Amino acid sequence: MSNVSKIGDRVHRKEDRRFLTGTGRYVDDLQLSRCTHAHFLRSPHAHARIKGIDTSKAAASAGVVAVFTGKDTADAKVGGLICGWVVKDKHGVPHKAPGHPAIALDTVRHVGDTVAMVIADTAANARDAADKIEVDYEVLPAIVDLTKALSAGAPQVHSDVPGNLCYDWELGDKAAVDAAFAKAAHVTKIDVVNNRLIPNAMEPRAAAAEYDRGTGNYTLHTTSQNPHVTRLVLSAFVLGIPEHKLRVIAPDVGGGFGSKIFIYAEETLCVWAAGKVGRSIKWTADRSESFMTDAHGRDHVTHAEIAMDKDGKFTGFRIDTIANMGAYLSTFATAVPTYLYGTLLAGQYTTPAIHVNVRAAFTHTTPVDAYRGAGRPEATYLVESIVSKAAREIGVDPAELRKRNFIAPTAFPYQTPVALTYDSGNYVPIIDEAMKLSDYAGFGARQSAAKAKGKLRGIGISSYIEACGLAPSAVVGSLGAGVGQWESAQLRFNPTGNVQVLTGSHSHGQGHETTFAQIVSDKLGVPMDQIEVVHGDTSQVPFGMGTYGSRSLAVGGSAIMKAADKIIAKGKKIAAHLMEAAEADIVFENGTFKVSGTDKNVPLAQAVFAAYVPHNYPIDKVEPGMDENAFYDPSNFTYPSGTQICEVEIDPDTGVVEIVHFVAVDDFGNIVNPMVVEGQVHGGIAQGVGQALMEAAAYDNATGQLLSGSYMDYTMPRADDLPSFTLGYKTTPCPHNPLGVKGCGEAGAIAAPAAVMNAVRDALAQVGAQDRIEMPATPQRVWAAINAR
Amino acid sequence: MTISVSMTVNGKAASGNVEARTLLVQFLREHMGLTGTHVGCDTSQCGACVVDVDGASAKSCTILAVQAEGAKVTTIEGLAESAEKLHPMQEAFREHHGLQCGFCTPGMVMSAIDLVKRNNYQVTEDIVRHGLEGNICRCTGYHNIVKAIVAGAASMKAAGV
């Protein structure tokens, strides 16, 4: 047998050859015939009334095919962009969802809001023409400061959303929490800002839309993590093109991190306008547009308090958070600071009473939505920051305090006070391994040595929990999700024995073409080079929900397992016929059907061939063909957990923070491909370190201008900003999915900010500055914290 | 108004009529169909567009096509000896999982090769990390890219390329 792979093998990726030779095919690489190019005129103001638009000079400009404004899309009854998750507030009232036209009608509400669309024969001509559009703006006061957005007198973002309040939501037992605080031996309080981030997938968003006048069919090539959801939203809510007349293809996609889940104005308008002008239209964001229009992430301001008894056991936890929605509700914005945040605030701990209140606010900023981790990094940063602060206050080692409060391995399934039921986990061996790998015991000596040369050393721990593998459809439906969150798979064998694995998941860097093939190779004994994973095209693959929330393997992989079971079941019937044996006596091992206790056998490929050439075939019992599909709806979320330990050294003269050692130990359940998992963890940590030390989407409070609107101003982590990482694993298999897997895509980004910041605070504690630092802990901020008087 | 431009791309003569403002990366992608060279930013920061021009790496978004008149340009498509035999640096990236979404990869590989040659095939992790400051990757955290380049340097030396 040639290259059959097993689950757990470190298999090199099948997709790498094309990426390494420049033969990947991203949206902007497409060459469509008679293609036109779109350019979007953007608002230069955070808040302004559009008193008039004169497009006549643009329309007469060289190469221009069409110019559209908000009036044109309104006249054509193009629907507004939608939010697909309805959060009900503490009184049961649905969130406020103000209109979100693809092109602004009479008001612009953030820098970068779409004002007009120009279509021309070349991208350069479209851009030149857009410069000739004359817009008469009446500039209005803007609110970008989240802490003031809900205050009386703040400028209003939408006239139909009083006080800019999208919703006021709560979770947990407030009375129980109040009672716990009344009896507390010690209370630790904290204020944290979870800084706004810009996802920055390296491939900018892009769309290429085609319209076939003969059939009336539309095709959209787009940078999407979930092409079927894009099609559904465009069809059912925005454009009214029937789903069967719209094909959405997400080809090679250059990273997403959440920002490519959402349905944006640009691809919507390209599809609509392609029908209007009868030609293909292509648009690719330049990086400045990405900064202004890709949904941003995080952006919370929180006050929290934790109550402890005399032994340092957590007895109550209260949290008050304001979350920024930006100017409009992005596709899943409302779920992020509620069901993906409030539900995670138990962390790894037995805290019996928790109450969280979240107010979501509109501001004149780019919409905010899910970014790698989505709600869970915000929860982890808060929980792990306050736990380390509490440890310092009561004089207990932060690792010891965590261990005292961990949920015991015997307690699973564990019902938290904030809705979730953790399925599995074993937290002490994880933190012990992380302490070993980081030489936690030797830290004191290293800190003294650093002090001797004038440096401040600190060590920080972050023990995270996440809920991923989104998700049981009935559960998310009851919480307001507009979609189910199962996943689909189809195993389409060909007569010659090779197989296409069609998946509703989408790979934009995760390596599904390899890991999903490994599952099939392991389960069915098919060599890796005989397996092709197909994803991202609504005309090829069954309806699927796409990739986000570390769900692809846990949900999509499980669907593949189910489909493989159906292949085996059908193959047994065929093999029983071919070997003239009873079906009950057939076993399937290593890709071969065998009659139990004999040496008679039929390889899977032979059964497949018989299914397609059914000359000698149990046609009365089994249909021809070998093509099975499956849909998998999980019974619970999965709960990856882990501990990261970061050690930093700060130069007090410059404020520069150097990460000297970074350890991550994770429990992802079973691992399909360790090489791919390591890569996911590395990348996640880098994004978390970026949030902690470098990245911030900064707005000017007076004008609402985005100050960090390019790579000159927004600090992306570069190779010399980061160390190499030390990784470790402990495994408790997920008990409720067939692969026993939990998901690994977001863990690094979820845990790292707290690990880094706890280390920074630990270092700064030597000079009493531990409570004077917020993310990102830039050299300027660190220096200012040290030198504050 | 267009201007005629001629150069050698991946060993073959290439020419076309471009606007004065046409960038080398646009010439490669749109005129030559060599879409392996990517554009990830508009401020010459990300390095996704790095190609080799006359023996040194260059950001092709920062050069006008007409400035490359007469130059010898190598892109990611011109690196591998054949469909079966990758360049040692490409092979090292594959071996060490130095890529995920693949978008920054062509620029990373082109920069890496130049970095190795500039350092006479002797590179350390520290040299690689500092030498890569002109290339941004959002997926890998650089850990495996750095490993790949250190290993790729040794393979390049051994292969004499």
Side-chain angles (χ1 to χ4, degrees):
Chain A
M1 187 80 77
S2 56
N3 61 339
V4 171
S5 287
K6 292 292 176 193
I7 289 172
D9 286 353
R10 183 175 283 270
V11 180
H12 291 129
R13 298 201 317 172
K14 289 163 74 82
E15 47 270 77
D16 284 354
R17 178 170 295 272
R18 69 176 187 273
F19 295 142
L20 282 164
T21 54
T23 48
R25 284 290 171 265
Y26 302 87
V27 173
D28 191 62
D29 300 341
L30 290 172
Q31 312 259 1
L32 303 173
S33 72
R34 291 187 70 243
C35 191
T36 64
H37 298 263
H39 183 83
F40 296 96
L41 183 67
R42 307 284 178 187
S43 170
H45 303 296
H47 190 200
R49 198 165 65 83
I50 300 174
K51 291 159 72 179
I53 302 183
D54 182 353
T55 59
S56 56
K57 285 181 192 148
S61 189
V64 169
V65 175
V67 181
F68 297 116
T69 65
K71 181 176 184 311
D72 298 306
T73 46
D75 288 349
K77 303 214 171 354
V78 173
L81 303 171
I82 63 156
C83 176
W85 195 307
V86 178
V87 167
K88 290 183 177 169
D89 73 5
K90 54 175 66 165
H91 307 296
V93 179
H95 68 231
K96 303 282 191 307
H100 185 185
I103 304 182
L105 295 173
D106 51 9
T107 306
V108 287
R109 293 186 174 85
H110 68 90
V111 170
D113 209 352
T114 312
V115 176
M117 175 186 200
V118 180
I119 301 164
D121 58 345
T122 68
N125 279 340
R127 184 182 292 259
D128 286 346
D131 280 346
K132 296 173 184 165
I133 297 175
E134 291 170 6
V135 187
D136 185 7
Y137 290 107
E138 177 190 351
V139 178
L140 301 170
I143 177 75
V144 300
D145 181 349
L146 180 60
T147 62
K148 299 197 171 81
L150 298 174
S151 304
Q156 295 294 286
V157 182
H158 297 275
S159 59
D160 53 349
V161 184
N164 298 322
L165 182 65
C166 179
Y167 55 75
D168 183 356
W169 176 89
E170 67 179 346
L171 180 66
D173 186 340
K174 189 167 187 301
V177 171
D178 289 345
F181 275 83
K183 288 190 292 187
H186 183 83
V187 172
T188 292
K189 301 178 180 181
I190 199 166
D191 288 283
V192 296
V193 174
N194 205 287
N195 43 326
R196 176 187 280 241
L197 304 175
I198 302 178
N200 276 303
M202 291 316 298
E203 179 204 21
R205 284 190 298 118
E210 301 175 83
Y211 175 65
D212 184 324
R213 274 178 291 184
T215 59
N217 289 344
Y218 291 82
T219 302
L220 170 65
H221 309 263
T222 185
T223 49
S224 174
Q225 301 177 216
N226 33 221
H228 274 102
V229 177
T230 298
R231 190 184 70 170
L232 177 65
V233 170
L234 291 180
S235 291
F237 298 99
V238 185
L239 294 176
I241 300 165
E243 272 186 284
H244 66 295
K245 306 296 276 183
L246 174 59
R247 175 183 185 183
V248 178
I249 301 170
D252 287 329
V253 172
F257 315 113
S259 69
K260 293 172 180 170
I261 297 171
F262 320 120
I263 292 83
Y264 291 91
E266 293 84 3
E267 62 264 26
T268 302
L269 292 166
C270 284
V271 173
W272 170 75
K276 200 89 174 145
V277 304
R279 289 177 65 177
S280 301
I281 301 175
K282 193 156 121 180
W283 167 78
T284 300
D286 58 34
R287 184 56 62 181
S288 306
E289 285 183 289
S290 302
F291 273 105
M292 289 187 291
T293 66
D294 290 6
H296 294 180
R298 319 282 191 255
D299 205 349
H300 287 194
V301 175
T302 296
H303 174 78
E305 303 178 355
I306 196 161
M308 282 164 279
D309 67 14
K310 63 178 175 33
D311 302 319
K313 288 279 281 184
F314 307 143
T315 55
F317 189 24
R318 61 163 67 113
I319 303 99
D320 184 18
T321 292
I322 306 175
N324 202 338
M325 295 285 103
Y328 306 98
L329 292 184
S330 176
T331 316
F332 292 107
T334 51
V336 176
T338 50
Y339 297 108
L340 296 175
Y341 167 72
T343 54
L344 275 300
L345 289 165
Q348 299 188 359
Y349 310 111
T350 55
T351 317
I354 300 174
H355 179 264
V356 53
N357 198 103
V358 178
R359 287 170 292 162
F362 288 104
T363 59
H364 291 106
T365 61
T366 299
V368 179
D369 207 326
Y371 164 60
R372 199 170 195 171
R376 292 152 291 179
E378 295 91 315
T380 299
Y381 180 62
L382 175 64
V383 172
E384 292 304 289
S385 293
I386 201 168
V387 167
S388 282
K389 188 175 186 202
R392 183 177 308 285
E393 287 181 358
I394 64 171
V396 174
D397 180 87
E400 166 59 23
L401 185 64
R402 283 172 169 82
K403 287 184 186 182
R404 271 185 215 175
N405 285 280
F406 279 162
I407 297 161
T410 50
F412 296 97
Y414 178 82
Q415 175 66 53
T416 76
V418 277
L420 296 176
T421 307
Y422 296 172
D423 61 356
S424 60
N426 190 2
Y427 306 141
V428 171
I430 294 173
I431 197 170
D432 282 345
E433 177 74 2
M435 290 166 76
K436 193 178 95 191
L437 291 175
S438 61
D439 185 23
Y440 191 81
F443 172 72
R446 296 195 295 279
Q447 189 176 42
S448 301
K451 198 168 186 177
K453 52 178 183 144
K455 300 286 178 66
L456 303 173
R457 245 189 208 233
I459 196 161
I461 301 176
S462 174
S463 297
Y464 75 94
I465 185 86
E466 60 168 319
C468 55
L470 274 62
S473 294
V475 173
V476 295
S478 72
L479 301 178
V483 290
Q485 289 190 327
W486 41 266
E487 197 47 88
S488 65
Q490 184 174 357
L491 293 186
R492 184 187 292 166
F493 275 87
N494 297 309
T496 51
N498 48 38
V499 59
Q500 285 158 296
V501 181
L502 303 130
T503 172
S505 298
H506 187 273
S507 181
H508 30 279
Q510 295 89 342
H512 298 166
E513 291 172 36
T514 304
T515 53
F516 286 6
Q518 272 181 267
I519 295 170
V520 173
S521 187
D522 180 300
K523 179 93 175 161
L524 297 179
V526 180
M528 288 291 279
D529 59 7
Q530 300 290 304
I531 303 169
E532 186 81 3
V533 174
V534 181
H535 61 93
D537 182 345
T538 60
S539 286
Q540 286 200 60
V541 305
F543 197 104
M545 298 313 301
T547 288
Y548 45 84
S550 305
R551 70 189 303 275
S552 296
L553 183 61
V555 189
S558 296
I560 292 171
M561 290 289 279
K562 274 187 78 176
D565 283 335
K566 292 183 182 180
I567 294 286
I568 293 169
K570 183 167 186 175
K572 278 185 179 176
K573 290 183 170 50
I574 299 166
H577 175 89
L578 293 176
M579 294 188 282
E580 297 176 340
E583 187 187 331
D585 293 336
I586 306 293
V587 293
F588 183 68
E589 288 169 4
N590 299 322
T592 301
F593 297 99
K594 293 174 182 159
V595 179
S596 189
T598 75
D599 58 359
K600 288 211 282 190
N601 69 79
V602 168
L604 174 61
Q606 188 184 336
V608 168
F609 185 78
Y612 283 103
V613 188
H615 296 167
N616 172 21
Y617 196 77
I619 202 81
D620 53 333
K621 297 195 194 82
V622 197
E623 293 175 8
M626 193 64 95
D627 186 350
E628 296 288 344
N629 68 355
F631 293 80
Y632 178 81
D633 200 307
S635 60
N636 193 356
F637 297 86
T638 60
Y639 297 92
S641 62
T643 288
Q644 295 182 351
I645 298 182
C646 175
E647 189 166 327
V648 301
E649 192 166 280
I650 293 174
D651 182 340
D653 293 334
T654 62
V656 170
V657 178
E658 184 195 354
I659 296 177
V660 290
H661 198 194
F662 199 107
V663 170
V665 179
D666 293 291
D667 176 3
F668 295 135
N670 294 330
I671 286 173
V672 171
N673 186 326
M675 180 191 82
V676 167
V677 169
E678 286 159 15
Q680 289 291 310
V681 176
H682 295 156
I685 294 171
Q687 290 181 7
V689 171
Q691 170 163 30
L693 297 181
M694 288 161 253
E695 299 180 39
Y699 282 92
D700 178 58
N701 281 341
T703 62
Q705 290 296 321
L706 178 63
L707 301 174
S708 54
S710 82
Y711 288 146
M712 313 284 276
D713 310 291
Y714 186 95
T715 315
M716 289 283 278
R718 297 180 188 241
D720 57 353
D721 294 318
L722 296 166
S724 289
F725 312 110
T726 304
L727 308 186
Y729 300 95
K730 294 286 172 185
T731 300
T732 60
C734 174
H736 59 77
N737 67 45
L739 287 161
V741 297
K742 299 187 175 183
C744 66
E746 297 164 295
I750 287 170
V756 175
M757 290 304 290
N758 283 338
V760 168
R761 292 173 187 132
D762 188 48
L764 292 180
Q766 294 169 74
V767 293
Q770 70 274 15
D771 295 329
R772 294 200 289 260
I773 191 76
E774 292 281 6
M775 298 191 290
T778 58
Q780 185 270 335
R781 283 184 171 184
V782 172
W783 188 91
I786 293 170
N787 290 283
R789 289 288 180 269
Chain B
M1 199 191 86
T2 60
I3 303 165
S4 161
V5 62
S6 299
M7 62 190 84
T8 304
V9 178
N10 297 333
K12 291 181 193 152
S15 60
N17 294 314
V18 300
E19 290 185 73
R21 63 183 170 182
T22 301
L23 301 169
L24 177 59
V25 66
Q26 292 170 320
F27 178 74
L28 293 170
R29 288 179 58 81
E30 294 161 21
H31 293 250
M32 304 301 300
L34 295 169
T35 55
T37 302
H38 296 151
V39 179
C41 76
D42 44 18
T43 52
S44 292
Q45 297 281 303
C46 82
C49 66
V50 170
V51 298
D52 184 291
V53 179
D54 290 333
S57 68
K59 288 181 173 172
S60 61
C61 74
T62 315
I63 304 173
L64 295 168
V66 293
Q67 288 178 286
E69 172 69 32
K72 284 196 173 65
V73 177
T74 304
T75 71
I76 190 73
E77 290 93 340
L79 270 190
E81 210 172 279
S82 67
E84 291 74 38
K85 195 165 189 312
L86 296 178
H87 183 281
M89 188 57 76
Q90 292 171 312
E91 189 56 43
F93 269 67
R94 194 182 81 90
E95 175 72 25
H96 295 279
H97 190 32
L99 66 156
Q100 290 182 26
C101 81
F103 194 79
C104 77
T105 306
M108 281 286 177
V109 171
M110 298 305 293
S111 285
I113 291 169
D114 189 51
L115 172 67
V116 168
K117 288 183 179 169
R118 274 188 284 121
N119 285 281
N120 200 25
Y121 299 85
Q122 302 292 320
V123 296
T124 60
E125 172 171 343
D126 198 51
I127 288 171
V128 171
R129 285 189 179 275
H130 285 94
L132 273 190
E133 65 174 3
N135 292 74
I136 303 177
C137 169
R138 192 58 151 169
C139 293
T140 64
Y142 304 99
H143 180 115
N144 285 343
I145 290 177
V146 173
K147 255 168 66 180
I149 295 173
V150 172
S155 308
M156 280 173 64
K157 189 174 187 185
V161 295

